Amino acid sequence: GENVEQHPSTLSVQEGDSAVIKCTYSDSASNYFPWYKQELGKRPQLIIDIRSNVGEKKDQRIAVTLNKTAKHFSLHITETQPEDSAVYFCAAAPPGGSYIPTFGRGTSLIVHP
Amino acid sequence: GAVVSQHPSRVICKSGTSVKIECRSLDFQATTMFWYRQFPKQSLMLMATSNEGSKATYEQGVEKDKFLINHASLTLSTLTVTSAHPEDSSFYICSAPRGTAEAFFGQGTRLTVV
């Protein structure tokens, strides 16, 4: 089955700095890669996703890049703000009618004011 | 947007009792729903896949008799933790995919067994 590795487990940055979280996956058949943000005690919320037919996607301060050959994808947050502090999860999902994502272990992002 | 509602958000129960958690898709039909367990500061661990009209598919190591799943309709799946023990205390969260796109998560249920 799919295996998703996520690094780092903890990331501490100063407000205004950029943050990068990296994930690798093992199943070359995976073609959908969402990123979720989870605040303490709350549900994960999708913040951005990318499919394997594109290499990069951007939404304001958030961007995701995908390297299919190397089987890794990354989340980039620019101009970080304290409200960006949360746990971020990457996931990889295979094609097909049933979406069963495999999640990374999560990255706890702390943005210091 | 699509919404998945999960209830209750918090529950405290005594050891040996059973607890039922509901997961509803509010504005779309979900033939499949997923149940996860999340320990503090850890990732989402898939417990089982709930299939409407058929038996759930459990992940390795998850006791099907302990965690009963029923997917009685296209908008409702339930997880019943039977004969709960303190080690079952955790954050349980469901999700429902809309097609092959994103999965929407419920609010989660914080279960405490005393």
Side-chain angles (χ1 to χ4, degrees), chain B residues 91-104:
Chain B
F91 189 64
Y92 294 87
I93 193 163
C94 67
S95 78
R98 185 175 58 183
T100 56
E102 66 174 295
F104 295 91

Side-chain angles (χ1 to χ4, degrees), chain A residues 55-85:
Chain A
E56 185 173 357
K57 185 176 178 180
K58 189 173 182 179
D59 182 4
Q60 298 183 336
R61 297 187 297 110
I62 296 173
V64 58
T65 58
L66 171 65
N67 183 325
K68 286 174 55 181
T69 303
K71 288 189 282 190
H72 66 69
F73 55 112
S74 300
L75 177 71
H76 304 254
I77 305 174
T78 59
E79 300 172 35
T80 55
Q81 301 166 4
E83 50 266 38
D84 294 330
S85 298

Side-chain angles (χ1 to χ4, degrees), chain A residues 32 34 36 38 41-46 49 51 87 89 95-101 103-106, chain B residues 3-4 32 34 36 38 41-44 46 49 91 93 97 99-103 105-108 110:
Chain A
Y32 178 62
Y36 290 89
Q38 186 179 28
K42 296 187 177 180
R43 76 181 90 193
Q45 298 272 14
L46 179 74
D49 56 11
R51 293 192 181 273
V87 178
F89 293 99
S98 183
Y99 167 95
I100 305 179
F103 287 89
R105 297 184 132 224
Chain B
V3 177
V4 173
T32 301
F34 303 108
Y36 296 88
Q38 188 176 34
K41 298 184 179 181
Q42 294 192 28
S43 188
L44 298 151
L46 181 65
T49 301
F91 189 64
I93 193 163
T100 56
E102 66 174 295
F105 286 89
Q107 302 95 315
R110 173 73 59 192

Side-chain angles (χ1 to χ4, degrees), chain B residues 56-67:
Chain B
T57 305
Y58 289 82
E59 296 300 300
Q60 191 173 9
V62 178
E63 299 176 59
K64 59 182 66 177
D65 295 331
K66 172 79 173 172
F67 299 98

